[in-house]
């Protein structure tokens, strides 16, 4: 039986040798030679994660000749988490490095009921570990809801790996937010009451702990609603709508990109859901349609609190009109723009839609980005023109002196409210951020009073102010 098996092996390898000779192999075995082993090249190389490399396999004979069998071998690795092999035609023998570690690259050659194999050592190196990060990056929770947290180990090369199942999770105040591990080894963080806490992840294998565990728990959401009860626009326009979640402590959070939009009928307009242009209204034809919003995370409909909105498409945009306004030097105030339609009607406020320009930035500047598009800040006394341009049609407001900046010598108005920025205050351990304070007047304008307010922290051990 052994002689028959050797004969079959020789016949099989001679077939491979003939194929290799046909494609240009430089050596072939003699008719009396027999297979002594499989050689895999190269050996002991180092790759980085996501790097690819083409290995080669050779059948070695007793007469010291060899035949390349790369495309005839079956390729495997000893640890698929470190590296994976391709057996596809044209890429057989190509390794794809995945994560740090050591692995054997194996080539197996089958003939009838027997096989030979060879191997080479490979090391995947991502460099030293630089830190441990947890996600979500901004940890803002809501009373009564739970969210899954993950932990990833970061390497110098930029590679990172999920280690959620092996880290030790804890909360600095479980009465605010607590951590439980489910059967799938996921970390579920449940918000219990309003406040702040630190969600910690410690990896005993590497000794690293996350530094971005600051977690804020906000009040429970009672209902959701649209910002406007009606959105009016022309056929040649686009307009964004906004949806807010209202909390039982009187605050609200914009959730435009988190909800699904339900239109009472098709063909009038479409509303975009998701992260790309969320809430964007694109008109299709004239008419009106009712829109409801559904929040899948909380199971809330806007209509449950009489919060449906109406989209009305009427005529086409003809002109842009900017409301005249005045502001004192150093104060800020929002500008407002409206579109005049061919029907004579005025559109919904276009402040967040148009592109703003100040014709004299030494007198006043106006924002186009960030959370306050259309926010004017007065710099010196005088009058200038604020222009609003519709990005779809290119129609702009007329060049009139519609903004007056007054000197600060007028009788001061009483400040009725104080607000600080950034609006969402989420910091990481060791991070510093500049906060500002603005006093809001009854007129709606505001002024920077950061240098005169008295700053403090309720718990300087968590965050201090200098």
């Amino acid at each position: 039986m052994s002689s028959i098996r050797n004969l079959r092996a020789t016949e099989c390898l001679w077939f491979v040798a003939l194929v290799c000779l046909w494609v240009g192999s430089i050596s072939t075995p003699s008719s009396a030679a027999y297979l002594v082993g499989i050689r895999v090249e190269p050996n002991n190389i180092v790759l980085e994660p996501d790097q690819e490399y083409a290995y080669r396999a050779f059948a070695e004979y007793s007469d010291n000749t060899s035949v390349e069998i790369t495309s005839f071998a079956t390729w495997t690795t000893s640890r698929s988490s470190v590296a994976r092999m391709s057996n596809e035609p044209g890429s057989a023998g190509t390794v794809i490095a995945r994560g740090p570690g050591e692995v054997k690259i194996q080539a197996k050659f089958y003939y009838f009921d027997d096989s030979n194999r060879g191997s080479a050592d490979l090391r995947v190196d991502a460099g030293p570990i630089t830190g441990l990060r947890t996600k979500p990056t901004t940890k803002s929770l809501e009373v009564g809801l739970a969210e899954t947290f993950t932990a990833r180990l970061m390497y110098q090369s930029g590679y990172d790996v999920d280690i959620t199942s092996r880290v030790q999770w804890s909360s600095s105040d479980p009465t605010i937010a607590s951590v439980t591990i489910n059967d799938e080894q996921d970390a579920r963080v449940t918000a219990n009451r309003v406040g702040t806490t630190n969600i910690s992840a410690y990896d005993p294998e590497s000794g690293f702990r996350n530094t971005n565990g600051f977690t804020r728990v906000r009040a429970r959401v009672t209902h959701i609603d649209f910002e406007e009860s009606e959105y009016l626009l022309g056929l040649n326009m686009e307009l964004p709508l906004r949806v807010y979640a209202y909390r039982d402590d009187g605050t609200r959070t914009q959730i435009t990109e988190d909800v699904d939009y339900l239109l009472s009928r098709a063909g009038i307009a479409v509303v975009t859901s998701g992260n790309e242009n969320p809430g964007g209204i694109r008109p299709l034809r004239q008419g009106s349609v009712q829109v409801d919003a559904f929040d899948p995370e909380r199971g809330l409909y806007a209509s449950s609190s009489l919060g449906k909105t109406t989209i009305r498409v009427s005529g086409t945009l003809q002109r842009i009109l900017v409301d005249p306004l005045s502001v004192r030097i150093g104060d800020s105030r929002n500008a407002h723009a409206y579109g005049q339609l061919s029907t004579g009607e005025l559109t919904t406020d276009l402040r967040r839609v148009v592109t703003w320009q100040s014709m004299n930035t030494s007198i006043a500047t106006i924002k186009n980005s960030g959370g306050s598009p259309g926010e004017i800040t007065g710099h010196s006394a005088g009058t200038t023109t604020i222009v609003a341009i519709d990005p779809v049609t290119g129609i702009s407001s007329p060049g009139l002196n519609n903004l007056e900046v007054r000197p600060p010598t007028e009788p001061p108005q009483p400040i009725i409210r104080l607000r600080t920025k950034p609006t969402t205050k989420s910091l990481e351990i060791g991070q510093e951020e500049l906060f500002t304070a603005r006093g809001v007047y009854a007129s709606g304008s505001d002024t920077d009073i950061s240098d005169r307010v008295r700053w403090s922290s309720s718990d300087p051990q968590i965050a201090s102010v200098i």
Side-chain angles (χ1 to χ4, degrees):
M1 184 65 180
S2 176
S3 61
I4 294 175
R5 181 174 297 172
N6 287 335
L7 176 62
R8 289 175 176 173
T10 305
E11 289 173 348
C12 182
L13 289 168
W14 261 101
F15 169 74
V16 173
L18 289 173
V19 172
C20 293
L21 180 62
W22 178 64
V23 298
S25 178
I26 60 173
S27 62
T28 58
S30 65
S31 59
Y34 56 89
L35 181 68
V36 295
I38 303 297
R39 184 178 81 253
V40 176
E41 293 183 350
N43 190 29
N44 291 321
I45 66 170
V46 179
L47 300 179
E48 294 182 358
D50 297 325
Q51 189 176 353
E52 296 184 10
Y53 193 90
Y55 277 86
R56 300 173 71 189
F58 297 86
E60 296 187 313
Y61 295 91
S62 57
D63 62 355
N64 294 324
T65 59
S66 62
V67 175
E68 182 170 359
I69 57 169
T70 301
S71 58
F72 297 95
T74 299
W75 294 88
T76 58
T77 67
S78 57
R79 293 174 63 192
S80 60
S81 62
V82 176
R84 282 186 177 175
M85 298 299 298
S86 171
N87 284 288
E88 296 296 321
S91 63
T94 298
V95 65
I96 303 172
R98 302 188 68 198
E102 295 181 350
V103 66
K104 283 193 177 295
I105 305 299
Q106 300 162 338
K108 183 184 290 186
F109 183 76
Y110 292 89
Y111 53 92
F112 296 98
D113 58 348
D114 204 354
S115 66
N116 274 267
R117 71 182 66 193
S119 66
D121 293 325
L122 166 67
R123 182 165 61 91
V124 180
D125 187 3
I129 298 171
T130 57
L132 192 160
R133 311 290 284 176
T134 55
K135 290 188 175 183
T137 305
T138 301
K139 300 168 178 63
S140 181
L141 307 180
E142 180 182 320
V143 172
L145 297 182
E147 189 165 344
T148 298
F149 279 35
T150 60
R152 304 190 72 85
L153 208 56
M154 318 297 292
Y155 290 80
Q156 189 178 58
S157 64
Y159 171 79
D160 63 349
V161 61
D162 191 322
I163 57 168
T164 303
S165 61
R166 83 181 194 207
V167 299
Q168 298 170 358
W169 294 91
S170 63
S171 170
S172 61
D173 191 340
T175 66
I176 293 175
S178 53
V179 188
T180 56
I181 309 300
N182 61 19
D183 293 339
E184 289 76 29
Q185 298 300 301
D186 294 328
R188 296 287 289 171
V189 180
T190 302
N192 301 315
R193 66 180 177 89
V194 174
T196 60
T197 184
N198 188 73
I199 303 299
S200 174
Y202 173 71
D203 176 29
E205 187 173 317
S206 66
F208 276 81
R209 186 185 300 273
N210 70 314
T211 58
N212 65 332
F214 177 80
T215 302
R216 179 186 183 191
V217 177
R218 306 189 68 177
R220 188 189 308 272
V221 170
T222 57
H223 66 283
I224 66 173
D225 201 353
F226 291 91
E227 184 178 38
E228 304 286 348
S229 59
E230 180 183 79
Y231 293 86
L232 174 59
L233 70 163
L235 268 171
N236 56 343
M237 300 176 63
E238 292 183 1
L239 192 66
L241 56 75
R242 282 192 169 192
V243 179
Y244 286 89
Y246 291 83
R247 305 180 184 278
D248 57 15
D249 63 354
T251 62
R252 70 176 189 175
T253 302
Q254 187 192 167
I255 57 169
T256 306
E257 65 184 34
D258 301 324
V259 299
D260 299 323
Y261 298 98
L262 311 171
L263 279 64
S264 60
R265 60 180 176 138
I268 302 296
V270 293
V271 180
T272 306
S273 297
N275 295 325
E276 188 173 346
N277 190 29
I281 303 171
R282 182 166 58 86
L284 302 176
R285 62 181 175 89
Q286 296 194 76
S288 63
V289 59
Q290 279 197 323
V291 185
D292 199 356
F294 174 66
D295 178 0
E297 182 181 7
R298 303 175 180 89
L300 296 176
Y301 287 89
S303 56
S304 299
S305 57
L306 304 178
K308 281 186 178 180
T309 191
T310 299
I311 296 174
R312 190 154 63 87
V313 183
S314 178
T316 57
L317 179 66
Q318 301 295 305
R319 301 176 64 198
I320 298 288
L321 305 174
V322 175
D323 282 348
L325 74 163
S326 64
V327 64
R328 295 193 308 175
I329 294 173
D331 289 355
S332 298
R333 190 174 180 182
N334 286 334
H336 297 277
Y338 301 88
Q340 188 173 55
L341 302 174
S342 56
T343 58
E345 298 173 284
L346 293 181
T347 67
T348 305
D349 189 356
L350 305 179
R351 177 171 68 89
R352 297 190 183 98
V353 178
V354 297
T355 301
W356 293 99
Q357 289 182 359
S358 170
M359 303 308 292
N360 190 335
T361 55
S362 65
I363 293 177
T365 54
I366 187 165
K367 292 182 179 179
N368 273 298
S369 58
S372 305
E375 183 181 79
I376 294 171
T377 301
H379 299 297
S380 62
T383 58
T384 186
T385 299
I386 297 298
V387 178
I389 306 170
D390 177 61
V392 176
T393 63
I395 295 173
S396 61
S397 58
L400 304 173
N401 288 327
N402 52 14
L403 173 64
E404 177 190 13
V405 178
R406 309 186 311 275
T409 55
E410 299 178 2
Q413 303 178 52
I415 292 174
I416 61 171
R417 182 167 84 252
L418 183 67
R419 65 183 182 190
T420 58
K421 291 187 176 183
T423 307
T424 301
K425 302 168 178 64
S426 179
L427 304 179
E428 299 178 3
I429 293 177
Q431 178 185 349
E432 293 185 0
E433 186 163 346
L434 181 65
F435 281 32
T436 59
R438 302 192 72 85
V440 182
Y441 300 114
S443 63
S445 63
D446 61 10
T447 186
D448 191 331
I449 56 173
S450 303
D451 58 347
R452 78 178 199 220
V453 298
R454 185 174 298 169
W455 295 90
S456 64
S457 169
S458 61
D459 191 340
Q461 291 184 338
I462 295 176
S464 56
V465 186
I466 56 174

